[in-house]
Amino acid sequence: MFNRLSLKMGALFFVFILIIGGLLYFILYINLANERINEIINNLLARGNTHSDVLEDHFDETTMNHVGLMESASDFVVIITDVKGDILVQSNPLEKEMETVIKRTDYNQIPPEGVVIEDNWKEKQYIATDSPITIDGEHRGHVFMFANSKQVRSILDQLSNHFKFIGFITVGITIITIFILSRFITSPVVKMKRATEQLSIGNNQVELHTERNDELGELAKSIQSLSNDLDRLKNERKEFLASISHELRTPLTYIKGYADIIHRRSLSEQELIEYIEIIREETEQLSKLIKHLFELAKMDQYSFVINRELVTLKTLIASIIDLIQPVIQQKNISVSLQCPYYIKAFVDPHRFQQVILNILDNAVKHSPKGSVITIEVREQREFITITVLDHGEGIPKQDLPFVFDRLYRVDKSRSRKSGGSGLGLAIAREIVESHGGSMRINSKFGEGTDVLIQLPIISKKI
């Protein structure tokens, strides 16, 4: 229970809010308490000054008794003394602490506007003020005002109770808010955790809400994308294994079948030569397929070695054209190479020959007799662009997104005469990308195909 993320987040938020809130409440309480205390003391001094003003106009026994009578009905105590400090009128019985305050007062140091002579409400029973009585510039007496410190403590107790009540409400609301927020934040995290658990056991069909625009939404989108990729890879793996089984079974079936026929020893020499040639062709096809699979395995394990060197592209491509010249002549196809001699690329010549050879082989296979295949090489600002254009049968639009998939062939009949293993283009693109380049195909069915290769120029080589 204590390992739950929502509980940890909630506890962390609560501690921080409690510390910050407690500090703010403490500062606010101190300020309000000081304001109330100052207000009581200032009111007490103002009350004494009012009596002093009245007595300055009518400094007689009647007025003094009236002031004493008025304060006897209040929560305050008033004591009126003469200039020497002798008590003339008092509203309440004199207590020892009051007498002490009166006796220790230095009457010559009291300013005309009065002064607070005791404000230690925490330790003393009374707080006190002194307002002098001055008539025609002559010092005639003093008005002492006393307020019981219990009043101050009572007000502060009420203020403290209010703060405690508000504090309890605040803590309760904070706990509820944190619980809701932590659930709101951790709920999608819990769902993502369950989704990843499903992915770990092989269930790639997970659905997450990705409408959020925050970090959690981005994480959900990443997990959803991972789920879709894993599901796609799982399906591709099944299809790949099924295709590999088919591709391996086909030549093996031919080899075994014709080997059994030869084993009968009742064949003519012409038939024997024909069947041995078929076995040789199927063996060569099987060897080529295994070689391609081995290369793809090395690419997947990042152990595919690229030995780069500076190569003149016109020389390299011309040698490839010479290599397939017999096939070109057989179909009466011409190849036009447009490449300036100065263009050079930093590539592995053996691997890059494999790329161009695969593209040209596909172009020749799917081009009609008497057509022209154009190879154009241009050097742009950042890339060297190699374009191979044929006017053959083209690729249907629905097949274009999948032409680089392993073992994918546009020819669904898997004709042994018209189609290869379906690995050539996948290997070619892997080789181009390992050189830091890119490869794409544009095609219109019935009009032809345009293969575009882009390689970094020499100044961008790795």
Side-chain angles (χ1 to χ4, degrees):
M1 175 180 178
F2 292 100
N3 291 327
R4 294 182 60 182
L5 179 61
S6 59
L7 185 62
K8 291 180 179 179
M9 290 181 62
L12 186 62
F13 288 159
F14 180 75
V15 169
F16 275 110
I17 292 175
L18 191 64
I19 293 174
I20 296 173
L23 181 62
L24 293 177
Y25 269 86
F26 176 75
I27 295 173
L28 180 61
Y29 173 80
I30 293 298
N31 289 334
L32 288 177
N34 289 333
E35 286 181 5
R36 296 303 301 273
I37 293 171
N38 290 333
E39 182 181 351
I40 293 173
I41 293 176
N42 291 333
N43 286 340
L44 186 66
L45 179 61
R47 198 178 186 94
N49 288 337
T50 300
H51 294 323
S52 174
D53 292 339
V54 171
L55 291 173
E56 286 177 353
D57 293 333
H58 305 280
F59 193 60
D60 53 40
E61 184 177 356
T62 302
T63 305
M64 287 188 286
N65 288 333
H66 178 73
V67 170
L69 182 63
M70 184 175 60
E71 291 296 348
S72 64
S74 69
D75 295 328
F76 304 105
V77 176
V78 63
I79 297 177
I80 303 172
T81 67
D82 59 14
V83 69
K84 297 180 180 180
D86 295 331
I87 298 175
L88 301 177
V89 173
Q90 60 188 53
S91 64
N92 295 80
L94 185 66
E95 297 187 15
K96 185 176 181 179
E97 185 174 315
M98 298 179 185
E99 187 177 358
T100 301
V101 170
I102 294 173
K103 287 182 178 181
R104 75 182 185 191
T105 301
D106 186 356
Y107 299 106
N108 295 323
Q109 300 298 324
I110 302 300
E113 66 273 11
V115 69
V116 178
I117 56 178
E118 183 61 72
D119 60 356
N120 188 4
W121 57 271
K122 292 181 180 179
E123 298 179 2
K124 302 294 184 178
Q125 183 179 358
Y126 291 95
I127 57 176
T129 64
D130 182 1
S131 301
I133 302 172
T134 304
I135 301 175
D136 297 330
E138 182 183 356
H139 188 190
R140 300 290 298 276
H142 295 267
V143 176
F144 289 93
M145 293 296 300
F146 293 89
N148 199 314
S149 298
K150 290 182 180 179
Q151 298 180 24
V152 178
R153 286 190 285 269
S154 175
I155 292 174
L156 294 181
D157 288 340
Q158 291 179 5
L159 186 63
S160 177
N161 291 334
H162 291 159
F163 268 81
K164 288 178 182 178
F165 178 72
I166 296 173
F168 284 128
I169 294 178
T170 303
V171 170
I173 294 175
T174 301
I175 293 175
I176 295 173
T177 304
I178 289 175
F179 176 78
I180 295 174
L181 287 177
S182 62
R183 294 287 294 178
F184 176 74
I185 295 173
T186 58
S187 177
V189 176
V190 172
K191 292 179 181 178
M192 291 181 220
K193 172 180 172 290
R194 292 172 182 168
T196 53
E197 289 174 348
Q198 292 297 313
L199 293 177
S200 66
I201 62 176
N203 180 16
N204 301 325
Q205 297 291 336
V206 297
E207 293 292 336
L208 293 172
H209 296 290
T210 58
E211 294 83 7
R212 299 173 62 129
N213 294 322
D214 53 12
E215 289 82 357
L216 290 176
E218 292 177 0
L219 179 59
K221 290 176 183 177
S222 298
I223 295 176
Q224 186 67 62
S225 177
L226 175 62
S227 168
N228 297 335
D229 290 343
L230 288 174
D231 189 55
R232 178 179 57 81
L233 289 174
K234 182 178 180 181
N235 294 331
E236 288 181 356
R237 183 181 63 180
K238 290 180 180 179
E239 294 176 2
F240 182 77
L241 292 175
S243 299
I244 284 293
S245 300
H246 178 87
E247 294 293 341
L248 292 175
R249 185 168 57 248
T250 300
L252 287 174
T253 300
Y254 276 103
I255 292 171
K256 183 179 183 302
Y258 284 104
D260 289 341
I261 294 174
I262 292 174
H263 187 67
R264 296 173 187 172
R265 299 180 180 177
S266 58
L267 302 174
S268 65
E269 184 177 353
Q270 180 64 32
E271 289 176 326
L272 185 62
I273 294 173
E274 181 182 348
Y275 295 156
I276 290 175
E277 180 62 23
I278 292 175
I279 292 175
R280 188 193 66 78
E281 290 177 358
E282 295 299 332
T283 303
E284 184 178 348
Q285 184 77 9
L286 184 61
S287 176
K288 187 184 297 183
L289 176 62
I290 293 173
K291 179 184 177 182
H292 285 169
L293 290 173
F294 183 67
E295 288 179 345
L296 285 173
K298 289 196 294 183
M299 290 176 181
D300 290 339
Q301 296 174 1
Y302 301 101
S303 59
F304 192 70
V305 179
I306 300 292
N307 298 313
R308 300 187 186 210
E309 59 183 78
L310 200 57
V311 175
T312 302
L313 286 179
K314 185 169 185 177
T315 303
L316 177 62
I317 297 174
S319 66
I320 298 171
I321 295 174
D322 291 340
L323 189 64
I324 62 170
Q325 198 63 231
V327 181
I328 294 174
Q329 292 176 354
Q330 184 179 1
K331 292 192 69 173
N332 192 24
I333 292 175
S334 59
V335 178
S336 172
L337 175 59
Q338 302 171 14
C339 176
Y341 189 78
Y342 64 84
I343 297 181
K344 297 181 180 181
F346 194 62
V347 297
D348 184 327
H350 174 70
R351 299 295 184 190
F352 203 69
Q353 181 186 43
Q354 186 178 354
V355 173
I356 301 298
L357 192 59
N358 180 275
I359 296 172
L360 281 177
D361 183 60
N362 285 336
V364 171
K365 283 181 180 178
H366 300 285
S367 294
K369 291 183 178 182
S371 61
V372 178
I373 298 174
T374 303
I375 304 175
E376 182 182 5
V377 182
R378 292 181 299 169
E379 188 175 77
Q380 297 175 327
R381 180 178 300 177
E382 296 182 355
F383 295 99
I384 295 172
T385 304
I386 303 172
T387 306
V388 181
L389 175 64
D390 68 64
H391 300 281
E393 57 196 52
I395 302 172
K397 185 177 180 180
Q398 65 271 17
D399 291 315
L400 268 177
F402 310 104
V403 291
F404 289 111
D405 291 353
R406 299 176 182 185
L407 295 174
Y408 186 86
R409 289 191 292 187
V410 177
D411 181 12
K412 301 300 187 297
S413 65
R414 295 185 179 271
S415 169
R416 294 167 59 243
K417 291 183 179 181
S418 62
S421 63
L423 295 174
L425 285 177
I427 294 174
R429 187 172 70 169
E430 292 279 357
I431 293 173
V432 171
E433 290 180 350
S434 67
H435 282 80
S438 63
M439 179 177 175
R440 69 175 185 268
I441 294 179
N442 300 315
S443 182
K444 289 186 178 181
F445 188 65
E447 296 183 13
T449 301
D450 180 6
V451 181
L452 180 66
I453 298 173
Q454 285 188 322
L455 295 172
I457 60 175
I458 297 175
S459 60
K460 299 290 184 180
K461 65 186 179 185
I462 301 173

